[in-house]
Amino acid sequence: MPLLSSPPLDSITFTPVAPLNKKVLSVLDSWNNDALIKQYLATCGEPRRDIPIDSVLLKARIQMFRSRMFELDALRARTLAEGRDSEEVDRELAAILYKRKLLLCMTFPILDLPSEILSIIFRSVVWSSFGADQANTHRLNLTWVCRRFRDVAMNDQTLWNSIWFRDAFPWTRSFEFIKRSGTAPLDIRIDDKDKKTADKDKDKANEADDAITLPQIDLILNAILPKIRQIRILVVLLKKEETVERFVTRFSTAGHAVWLERYEVHRCGEPYLWPHHKTTGSGGIIPLSVFPTPKLRWLAINGIPVDWETVSTANLVTLDLRRMPIQACPPSKRWLEMLRECPSLYKLHLEAAGPQLRRSVIADLHLHINRLQRVHLPSLRELILGDVSCAFGIYLLAHMHAPRVMSLTLTHLGKQNYSDLVQYTTGLFPELRILSLWTLETPQTDDHRRLIVRWLESMPHIKMLKVAEGASRFLLDSFSKDPEHGDEEMMTPVLLPELEYLFFQTQLHIPQATTDDLSALVVGRSEMGKPFHKVYVPDVSARSISEAELDKVRAHSNLVITYQQGILTTEEEVAIHSTMLNSLEPGHPLLVRRMMMN
């Protein structure tokens, strides 16, 4: 391996794998950058038996680099003491440190390590992978290095217990991984959307033909159901109604899933809602589980009308329900019972789902909601609400009292007037930190502007605003208005005094932004004396927005960061979510898990 003939450090370009707004490293600091090492190693071929490595020569070079490292370090200290620039010395020192690190890696006696230490290293390699494909490659590569590596890897069941059915039918690799996992807890994902076929160029119109069939899902179930007591995570995305129904029904009656912590079932195909004839007036007809699931913490049901009497929410921290026909939603009484059963609920995601709203209730909505005994949810910190009518949204929120919600997402609330929902939620979330608005439609009048401003004023601790292309200009302009006088010239107090971060999201299903909505929002906050500290703009939007508009954004905010579409988590969000987690009462399951992991 030609280490000493590698390109000089200053000629190597790389993209740092780091938080989006991390400062650029100096030349001397960059030698220890993992991305730089990975970029070099990617250019190296596999070790070859016919080109043996001379370990004596390599160790001699390591000593030579070590001596030169001390010389350069002393020279750098003298240079800085004399007030002169040390860039040339820094460059040579960085190159020496970089090459020495590679040589140390090459000469490290890894085969002398005990098997249990090797297993820890192997797990670190596999568990730090980016995505399932890379994890599979890492696992297989470890078994190809040498006999010792293969023995250690094959005897460690936890290296194989994460199985994602992404290989082509008949899923030989996935079934082999299940076999190698032995008695270890199983994390299984079955994803019809990512199913690989031999013909990769098949027309999208024929995607339905590629969906997993009944005989195929039975084949998968025959392999995993005998190990149902070992399943810890089960995430299933299937296209066809009959396939989803077969999977859920067989799994629900197969036995005790005593280790099941996370269970997600998504019907990702058409139609959007389950056919009416397969639902009843008191909820769905498909049982979720006829056996207790004592460790279940995360439950997601998408597009499937389950029998709510078979759904246990006793220990949930995440409940995610989507695409439920109104007649398949749980009745109000059962919904209240479900909420009472999960006092540790941390995240609630509801899209086109919630308590069943009958037509007779809509006729006198406020009378009915005043009769409800709300369920107090002291641990709820994240609420996502979308694709519901204004009346349904009010009715849903009337079932619960969650004053400590710190992250609120409102999505697909359009095609009608949602001003009553805005008014109803005013004052409900005083501790909110993150507000995400994808769609929220109201009439564009002065009275409704004042309504929105009062709503925002009731959430004074918002630190991050996330908006999408397509959010109305009327709504965005409200963030720069006087909290007392709406459209009048801005005076004190300042609306949302703690708002520092703006995250601008592209919606791929609508045309890219070509207006000045983004710059108007940024300029408006700046002119009221509260400029955004950071503005995140997706690269696809940055390419479609004129340079003049981007210049306005840069001029009226402290820092503009362009991010790759799909990278959605910023370090500010991580910090806010950490604050949300720390605000929980001692003994909450999430805090206990974090303590155990640390």
Side-chain angles (χ1 to χ4, degrees):
M1 188 176 293
L3 283 171
L4 300 184
S5 62
S6 59
L9 192 67
D10 58 338
S11 69
I12 298 177
T13 59
F14 61 91
T15 302
V17 181
L20 294 173
N21 47 6
K22 188 174 181 178
K23 65 179 182 180
V24 178
L25 296 175
S26 67
V27 172
L28 186 56
D29 291 333
S30 65
W31 75 270
N32 199 29
N33 188 288
D34 285 344
L36 182 63
I37 299 294
K38 289 178 180 178
Q39 181 177 353
Y40 172 72
L41 292 177
T43 66
C44 301
E46 293 290 333
R48 295 169 51 184
R49 290 182 178 273
D50 58 335
I51 307 179
I53 295 177
D54 190 337
S55 59
V56 175
L57 176 60
L58 294 183
K59 290 178 180 179
R61 287 178 175 172
I62 291 173
Q63 286 300 111
M64 180 185 69
F65 285 150
R66 185 171 183 270
S67 299
R68 183 56 178 163
M69 179 182 69
F70 286 127
E71 292 175 2
L72 291 171
D73 196 44
L75 177 59
R76 183 174 186 272
R78 291 197 301 270
T79 302
L80 293 176
E82 295 170 0
R84 294 185 290 119
D85 184 76
S86 65
E87 183 177 354
E88 290 187 9
V89 177
D90 288 351
R91 194 175 302 281
E92 184 180 355
L93 180 57
I96 291 293
L97 292 170
Y98 168 66
K99 294 176 181 179
R100 181 172 179 268
K101 180 177 183 178
L102 289 175
L103 289 177
L104 287 171
C105 291
M106 289 186 63
T107 58
F108 183 78
I110 192 168
L111 292 179
D112 294 341
L113 294 176
S115 296
E116 57 269 23
I117 303 300
L118 270 180
S119 288
I120 294 174
I121 295 173
F122 289 178
R123 293 172 191 170
S124 178
V125 170
V126 173
W127 296 345
S128 62
S129 303
F130 293 97
D133 289 336
Q134 189 181 83
N136 289 337
T137 300
H138 286 165
R139 284 187 279 194
L140 295 175
N141 283 350
L142 287 172
T143 65
W144 298 340
V145 174
C146 63
R147 185 173 298 170
R148 174 81 190 289
F149 272 35
R150 180 174 180 82
D151 289 343
V152 171
M154 295 293 288
N155 288 321
D156 186 352
Q157 297 177 350
T158 61
L159 280 184
W160 311 99
N161 67 338
S162 180
I163 300 106
W164 193 340
F165 283 80
R166 289 171 61 89
D167 47 327
F169 174 79
W171 303 294
T172 304
R173 183 187 64 199
S174 296
F175 290 146
E176 177 62 23
F177 283 7
I178 291 176
K179 179 181 177 181
R180 294 182 184 182
S181 65
T183 58
L186 295 175
D187 301 338
I188 299 174
R189 182 181 177 104
I190 305 165
D191 195 341
D192 217 353
K193 294 170 65 177
D194 280 338
K195 182 168 175 269
K196 297 182 182 295
T197 62
D199 183 5
K200 295 183 180 180
D201 297 324
K202 186 171 289 188
D203 191 273
K204 288 187 177 181
N206 297 322
E207 281 186 353
D209 296 334
D210 294 332
I212 294 177
T213 63
L214 284 176
Q216 290 174 343
I217 201 63
D218 282 334
L219 181 64
I220 294 176
L221 286 166
N222 292 341
I224 68 174
L225 291 185
K227 292 178 174 283
I228 192 170
R229 299 179 68 90
Q230 297 173 228
I231 297 177
R232 178 175 56 191
I233 296 176
L234 181 58
V235 179
V236 182
L237 296 90
L238 298 170
K239 294 178 181 177
K240 293 185 176 181
E241 296 172 21
E242 61 271 20
T243 309
V244 175
E245 188 170 0
R246 175 72 63 84
F247 183 92
V248 176
T249 302
R250 283 194 60 185
F251 186 81
S252 68
T253 58
H256 291 79
V258 293
W259 284 101
L260 186 63
E261 297 181 5
R262 177 176 175 179
Y263 186 26
E264 295 189 39
V265 187
H266 302 265
R267 183 178 59 82
C268 50
E270 297 293 338
Y272 182 75
L273 297 178
W274 196 271
H276 187 277
H277 69 276
K278 289 189 176 182
T279 61
T280 67
S282 58
I285 60 175
I286 303 175
L288 191 69
S289 178
V290 299
F291 298 99
T293 51
K295 292 184 176 293
L296 189 63
R297 297 288 186 270
W298 182 320
L299 177 62
I301 306 171
N302 181 359
I304 307 159
V306 300
D307 180 357
W308 297 105
E309 297 301 326
T310 66
V311 176
S312 174
T313 60
N315 299 307
L316 293 184
V317 295
T318 296
L319 178 59
D320 183 342
L321 304 177
R322 309 183 204 181
R323 297 166 57 205
M324 302 285 177
I326 193 65
Q327 69 275 6
C329 291
S332 176
K333 180 180 178 181
R334 177 57 185 145
W335 180 252
L336 289 171
E337 292 173 352
M338 290 168 60
L339 294 182
R340 291 192 190 100
E341 290 173 357
C342 51
S344 297
L345 190 65
Y346 180 87
K347 178 179 179 180
L348 181 60
H349 185 153
L350 299 171
E351 287 191 55
Q356 192 175 121
L357 178 60
R358 302 189 305 274
R359 293 186 180 274
S360 59
V361 174
I362 298 177
D364 203 348
L365 181 63
H366 290 283
L367 176 63
H368 283 85
I369 63 177
N370 289 333
R371 293 175 177 174
L372 290 172
Q373 294 187 357
R374 299 186 179 188
V375 177
H376 182 50
L377 299 175
S379 300
L380 191 64
R381 296 294 183 269
E382 186 171 359
L383 176 61
I384 301 171
L385 181 63
D387 204 9
V388 296
S389 67
C390 182
F392 193 98
I394 294 173
Y395 186 63
L396 185 157
L397 292 172
H399 284 72
M400 60 189 188
H401 176 57
R404 302 210 64 189
V405 167
M406 295 185 180
S407 177
L408 174 66
T409 299
L410 301 177
T411 179
H412 299 116
L413 301 181
K415 299 183 179 180
Q416 63 174 278
N417 178 8
Y418 283 87
S419 58
D420 286 346
L421 179 63
V422 172
Q423 183 173 7
Y424 185 82
T425 55
T426 299
L428 289 187
F429 309 117
E431 296 191 34
L432 202 68
R433 300 297 193 274
I434 301 176
L435 176 62
S436 303
L437 296 174
W438 298 157
T439 312
L440 179 62
E441 192 166 319
T442 64
Q444 299 186 12
T445 68
D446 291 344
D447 287 342
H448 288 94
R449 171 92 74 197
R450 284 187 282 271
L451 176 66
I452 293 173
V453 170
R454 285 195 297 270
W455 176 59
L456 295 175
E457 188 182 13
S458 73
M459 302 176 287
H461 301 297
I462 293 176
K463 295 184 70 68
M464 172 171 277
L465 172 64
K466 302 179 72 174
V467 295
E469 290 177 354
S472 71
R473 176 66 171 270
F474 179 80
L475 179 63
L476 297 180
D477 284 347
S478 301
F479 286 86
S480 305
K481 298 301 178 182
D482 186 336
E484 294 183 341
H485 305 290
D487 288 321
E488 297 180 13
E489 185 178 353
M490 182 63 206
M491 302 291 287
T492 57
V494 176
L495 182 65
L496 302 179
E498 298 181 21
L499 180 59
E500 294 183 323
Y501 311 109
L502 173 63
F503 189 95
F504 192 64
Q505 172 69 49
T506 297
Q507 297 189 81
L508 299 179
H509 63 281
I510 65 173
Q512 295 181 8
T514 56
T515 67
D516 62 346
D517 289 352
L518 175 61
S519 63
L521 173 59
V522 174
V523 171
R525 290 296 298 181
S526 176
E527 290 179 345
M528 68 189 295
K530 285 292 180 180
F532 286 107
H533 182 58
K534 293 179 184 176
V535 177
Y536 291 93
V537 182
D539 50 3
V540 292
S541 291
R543 291 193 294 268
S544 66
I545 299 174
S546 68
E547 191 62 29
E549 292 302 315
L550 287 177
D551 286 341
K552 287 183 184 179
V553 175
R554 297 186 187 102
H556 289 85
S557 59
N558 294 339
L559 182 62
V560 178
I561 299 170
T562 302
Y563 69 93
Q564 182 180 356
Q565 180 69 13
I567 301 177
L568 302 179
T569 303
T570 66
E571 65 177 5
E572 290 79 25
E573 282 184 272
V574 172
I576 293 172
H577 280 281
S578 178
T579 300
M580 292 163 55
L581 198 60
N582 291 333
S583 70
L584 296 171
E585 292 295 324
H588 189 278
L590 291 179
L591 294 179
V592 173
R593 176 182 288 271
R594 184 176 66 173
M595 182 177 63
M596 294 175 62
M597 292 179 65
N598 293 337

